[in-house]
Amino acid sequence: MISTANMISTAVGGIDTLRLATAGSVDDGKSTLVGRLLHDSKSVLADQLEAVEHASRSRGQDAPDLALLTDGLRAEREQGITIDVAYRYFATPRRRFILADTPGHVQYTRNMVTGASTAELAIILVDARNGVVEQTCRHAAVAALLRVPQVVLAVNKMDLVGYGEKEFDRIVEDFAGHAAELSLPGFTPIPVSALAGDNVVERSAHMDWYTGPALLEFLEEVPVGADPADAPARFPVQYVIRHGEVRHYAGQLASGALRVGDRVTVHPSGETSEITGIDVLGTGVAVARAPQSISVRLADERDVSRGDMITAGVGVPVLTKEVRAAVCHLADRPLKVGDRVLVRHTTRTVKAVVKDLAGAAELTANDLGRIGLRTAEPLALDDYATSRRTGAFLIIDPADGTTLTAGMVEL
Amino acid sequence: MTGAAVTGSVLSHLDALESEAVHIFREVAGEFERPVILFSGGKDSIVMLHLALKAFTPAPVPFALLHVDTGHNFPEVIDYRDRVVAAHGLRLHVASVQDYIDRGVLRERPDGTRNPLQTLPLTEKIQSGRFDAVFGGGRRDEEKARAKERVFSLRDEFSQWDPRRQRPELWNLYNGRHAPGEHVRVFPLSNWTELDVWQYMAREHIELPNIYYAHQREVFRRGDMWLTAGEWGGPKDGETVEKRQVRYRTVGDMSCTGAVDSDADTIDRVIAEIAASRLTERGATRADDKLSEAAMEDRKREGYF
């Protein structure tokens, strides 16, 4: 049992939330692992379980197939695969979890990129019998590329390798080699059996050689990433609320903190002003921090509008029309050198042209690559490595609005 | 209105959800010409409206409301709707299922259920009102097909939802670009659970229609649900009316929304009851989602919420 004693939460006024993503294929037992997390954390309710039991029986299975808890669309149930990112919600007395459940097949890299983009932790699943396979490396590469702060290597199906410590250690060592190559900052390996329930929610009775936490324990304890207190303030303006003569610049703080009295710079104009007031949804405050949605008032009449970026303190963003970035191509139609596109960065959308693809002629769906873009208007960029919010962008097809590519700025 | 004082480093989960929802409302205000909020007087739409009010304070909400009226709504809910509209000086559009039945465009189903009949009036109202963004209170935790829904969900000119045409949604960058005639359904409560909604309503002291709280009501049993007796089609032969103490976990069409036995007459008691419940809110109360394993998926494709 998980001890719920000493429930000390760092969140103000309640418990906090961990957003996580799973990667691994159906064959690795991912749906079963997710089903087990939901089931054993008591997040599955009687009617859902009844539906699963009914469906399992009708397929001639004798035990409820927990994977059925998470297979949502008819096409998936018919094909027995997961074709899209699904979001699951579960909670313990200590923390709430938003889980982006992403398919593991190689053609669905884009789905893992999507899930990982908002995740503070990624669970990479391997089958203990097969160890680290090509797909595992791809998952690790995506986690590294998207800068997911925490990675768990869940070595599943330990029951099928006799719960052996040697097998586990060999896989961990193998993965560590790949992680180093990818400059993945670190990872937490956990031996589990999703089917039998070992080390998912309850500690395993079969692996006394493993002294670490069960998976859910780790998820409850891992620190959630508030951005560092000294992160530079980045405030993309979403919308201008006009009230009488007063303009309130509304948006969500992307990083850092803003205080009343701060000298600020508005990009791309470069004009400066001072913050005379900050409101958090109708309540005046002296200081606000990411990721709060706020509105600010400035001392001077400035022509500030949606798409502008307000910054304060040291560490200004780079104002440029030349964008270099790592990318994952998401769409079925390819991206080619010379393509005219739109770039969506924070609240700003600008026209751009693809200048180079680092030697590649084109990018096709699920390709990871590098890109050079020239934009029609300057963007206020941060390196993705330092800010996942202001270093990220989308490439959009101006013809029909399709989201083509996800980009991570490399300054 | 409450605001979160920030002294620690992490927002509480309710503050984080609130901040995210407000961000979504403001994105739509910045990117679309004619947004509208689907407002039924049910708790999720009430929370949506509350968040919209906070997102644009001190100015008024820059969107109209749209109610798809099945004609079988609880009178308490319609009263509530009208009071809220008046209190905040909002503009209300109504798409009426009864009108469509009277004109012979739609036919009453034998079971009296009108929820599936909402799709056509809704989609035609979206077309005639030229609404390009339509806020819905849908949550991903409600049902398996909804677990895959985007925050910005693209619909074609027939309001149809094609799971394979949905755009990947990364970071907090929502892509709302669409062709003329298409629109985007927007779900600001995507990441909320039923419990979150209730805890938030408690924290914000949000008033609700009283049928969400335990009260005495004349009901009859149909299938495994307590339904309210009424002209919509019940009780029928063999069904007997009895007076019970019940409350509603969801509020929809009278014909398919079941009440649950409950003595939870305050919001704190409701929260305690939900936290201890072994049934999902729809499983406990909604006949329409039980029609088939793929019922919700099919209705979403047709343009349902």
Side-chain angles (χ1 to χ4, degrees):
Chain A
M1 270 309 289
I2 296 164
S3 156
T4 51
N6 309 321
M7 284 193 337
I8 300 166
S9 171
T10 50
V12 182
I15 60 173
D16 58 19
T17 305
L18 176 71
R19 296 186 71 134
L20 64 152
T22 54
S25 73
V26 176
D27 314 332
D28 302 328
K30 184 171 63 67
S31 298
T32 309
L33 179 76
V34 173
R36 172 70 61 189
L37 273 176
L38 300 178
H39 177 266
D40 289 7
S41 67
K42 309 283 187 289
S43 301
V44 180
L45 299 174
D47 50 317
Q48 294 171 302
L49 201 56
E50 194 186 325
V52 164
E53 284 164 353
H54 177 78
S56 303
R57 273 197 305 276
S58 70
R59 294 165 190 219
Q61 293 162 302
D62 48 7
D65 181 355
L66 292 178
L68 294 176
L69 282 171
T70 61
D71 293 343
L73 301 175
R74 180 183 294 152
E76 297 169 30
R77 287 192 300 275
E78 286 167 357
Q79 298 167 38
I81 55 158
T82 317
I83 56 170
D84 207 338
V85 185
Y87 292 87
R88 325 270 174 211
Y89 301 83
F90 62 103
T92 68
R94 300 176 63 179
R95 187 168 268 180
R96 291 179 73 270
F97 301 93
I98 300 176
L99 185 151
D101 189 5
T102 66
H105 296 286
V106 70
Q107 67 269 37
Y108 295 116
T109 299
R110 61 186 174 193
N111 288 325
M112 186 186 166
V113 169
T114 300
S117 72
T118 52
E120 293 171 283
L121 180 144
I123 298 173
I124 296 176
L125 201 63
V126 300
D127 182 331
R129 296 168 305 174
N130 306 333
V132 174
V133 295
E134 189 199 341
Q135 215 183 86
T136 315
C137 299
R138 201 169 178 86
H139 294 150
V142 169
L145 183 69
L146 273 290
R147 306 262 170 187
V148 182
Q150 297 275 351
V151 172
V152 170
L153 178 72
V155 181
N156 190 27
K157 306 195 184 182
M158 288 299 294
D159 52 317
L160 300 183
V161 295
Y163 293 110
E165 184 176 9
K166 278 199 184 66
E167 287 79 354
F168 176 71
D169 287 347
R170 198 163 43 233
I171 291 168
V172 171
E173 197 178 326
D174 192 5
F175 186 82
H178 293 285
E181 276 170 42
L182 295 162
S183 16
L184 201 68
F187 66 96
T188 304
I190 303 178
V192 301
S193 166
L195 198 64
D198 295 275
N199 284 338
V200 179
V201 171
E202 305 282 340
R203 294 225 186 163
S204 170
H206 301 106
M207 294 179 271
D208 51 11
W209 47 263
Y210 171 76
T211 54
L215 176 61
L216 187 62
E217 278 180 87
F218 182 74
L219 298 181
E220 285 184 307
E221 287 161 8
V222 69
V224 290
D227 62 35
D230 57 356
R234 297 285 185 265
F235 182 59
V237 177
Q238 274 189 285
Y239 187 74
V240 182
I241 299 170
R242 285 190 171 76
H243 186 62
E245 292 298 294
V246 186
R247 289 179 188 180
H248 301 254
Y249 302 112
Q252 187 176 32
L253 256 170
S255 66
L258 286 177
R259 289 169 185 77
V260 174
D262 276 354
R263 293 296 301 170
V264 295
T265 306
V266 182
H267 307 271
S269 71
E271 291 184 340
T272 60
S273 185
E274 184 179 309
I275 295 182
T276 54
I278 303 175
D279 290 291
V280 179
L281 312 184
T283 306
V285 296
V287 56
R289 288 192 176 81
Q292 285 186 297
S293 281
I294 61 174
S295 62
V296 304
R297 280 160 284 146
L298 299 180
D300 317 85
E301 273 301 312
R302 294 279 178 232
D303 184 20
V304 179
S305 58
R306 176 173 172 83
D308 288 347
M309 172 95 73
I310 293 174
T311 69
V314 291
V316 290
V318 172
L319 203 64
T320 180
K321 294 183 181 178
E322 302 290 334
V323 182
R324 297 222 53 84
V327 289
C328 173
H329 190 63
L330 307 165
D332 293 329
R333 74 193 67 163
L335 188 72
K336 296 186 176 73
V337 174
D339 280 354
R340 297 192 171 273
V341 295
L342 296 169
V343 170
R344 170 70 193 270
H345 170 256
T346 64
T347 56
R348 191 172 177 80
T349 305
V350 297
K351 289 179 179 169
V353 63
V354 179
K355 300 301 287 182
D356 74 79
L357 292 169
E362 61 173 33
L363 293 177
T364 58
N366 299 299
D367 280 350
L368 302 177
R370 286 205 154 65
I371 200 169
L373 293 156
R374 173 162 324 129
T375 59
E377 309 286 332
L379 295 172
L381 300 176
D382 285 299
D383 198 84
Y384 184 79
T386 56
S387 173
R388 290 171 82 193
R389 278 286 158 87
T390 53
F393 63 89
L394 302 177
I395 297 175
I396 294 169
D397 187 333
D400 64 359
T402 300
T403 300
L404 299 172
T405 314
M408 288 137 283
V409 173
E410 294 179 335
L411 289 176
Chain B
M1 297 247 171
T2 59
V6 184
T7 49
S9 54
V10 182
L11 291 185
S12 77
H13 82 278
L14 285 182
D15 285 327
L17 289 170
E18 180 185 57
S19 176
E20 177 184 69
V22 164
H23 174 259
I24 292 162
F25 275 110
R26 290 168 169 178
E27 278 304 278
V28 171
E31 292 273 329
F32 291 81
E33 298 292 319
R34 286 177 62 81
V36 71
I37 302 176
L38 286 175
F39 187 81
S40 64
K43 67 179 178 3
D44 297 319
S45 65
I46 290 168
V47 165
M48 266 206 301
L49 178 59
H50 181 87
L51 289 160
L53 289 163
K54 286 183 102 167
F56 301 101
T57 186
V61 174
F63 319 127
L65 304 185
L66 167 55
H67 181 214
V68 184
D69 185 348
T70 62
H72 289 163
N73 287 297
F74 294 90
E76 298 91 334
V77 176
I78 297 293
D79 288 350
Y80 180 98
R81 178 196 77 183
D82 294 340
R83 276 191 294 119
V84 165
V85 166
H88 298 293
L90 297 158
R91 180 156 178 223
L92 175 71
H93 300 269
V94 177
S96 159
V97 172
Q98 190 64 53
D99 278 359
Y100 279 71
I101 292 173
D102 294 346
R103 287 191 280 126
V105 180
L106 288 174
R107 286 175 47 196
E108 194 84 76
R109 292 162 48 112
D111 61 3
T113 294
R114 286 187 173 185
N115 259 25
L117 304 182
Q118 293 178 91
T119 304
L120 185 67
L122 170 68
T123 54
E124 292 197 344
K125 181 62 85 172
I126 290 170
Q127 289 298 315
S128 66
R130 300 191 322 282
F131 298 119
D132 55 359
V134 180
F135 290 102
R139 308 187 320 261
R140 288 181 182 140
D141 80 319
E142 284 182 273
E143 196 278 335
K144 280 202 296 190
R146 279 196 170 161
K148 316 224 153 183
E149 186 57 278
R150 306 294 193 271
V151 174
F152 276 37
S153 174
L154 190 66
R155 304 298 167 103
D156 65 15
E157 59 196 309
F158 305 102
S159 284
Q160 294 178 120
W161 176 77
D162 176 355
R164 292 176 189 274
R165 243 193 100 208
Q166 298 306 309
R167 296 164 178 162
E169 219 162 51
L170 295 95
W171 298 291
N172 64 342
L173 299 172
Y174 304 109
N175 176 2
R177 298 185 77 88
H178 57 281
E182 294 185 333
H183 72 278
V184 175
R185 298 280 170 91
V186 181
F187 301 103
L189 306 184
S190 286
N191 287 323
W192 298 51
T193 64
E194 182 185 17
L195 197 54
D196 295 331
V197 168
W198 280 99
Q199 287 175 336
Y200 185 73
M201 290 188 298
R203 186 185 91 170
E204 300 284 303
H205 307 293
I206 295 173
E207 188 208 342
L208 283 174
N210 53 19
I211 66 173
Y212 278 109
Y213 299 110
H215 57 288
Q216 291 286 321
R217 177 176 285 267
E218 290 202 330
V219 291
F220 64 93
R221 197 81 182 157
R222 182 174 294 172
D224 49 5
M225 294 195 303
W226 292 111
L227 298 178
T228 290
E231 289 176 15
W232 60 265
K236 289 183 179 159
D237 295 347
E239 292 171 336
T240 53
V241 170
E242 55 182 286
K243 202 162 193 150
R244 296 183 74 89
Q245 176 155 286
V246 296
R247 69 174 202 87
Y248 285 88
R249 277 178 76 174
T250 66
V251 168
D253 187 75
M254 276 174 139
S255 59
C256 66
T257 308
V260 293
D261 286 319
S262 172
D263 54 9
D265 56 356
T266 66
I267 199 157
D268 290 337
R269 287 185 181 147
V270 169
I271 290 172
E273 185 186 272
I274 291 167
S277 171
R278 302 297 304 136
L279 287 175
T280 61
E281 75 179 40
R282 285 182 171 267
T285 64
R286 293 297 274 273
D288 53 330
D289 293 343
K290 294 186 172 181
L291 297 173
S292 83
E293 200 183 351
M296 181 67 96
E297 187 182 339
D298 290 341
R299 286 160 61 209
K300 274 173 67 90
R301 285 173 184 270
E302 292 163 14
Y304 187 71
F305 318 145

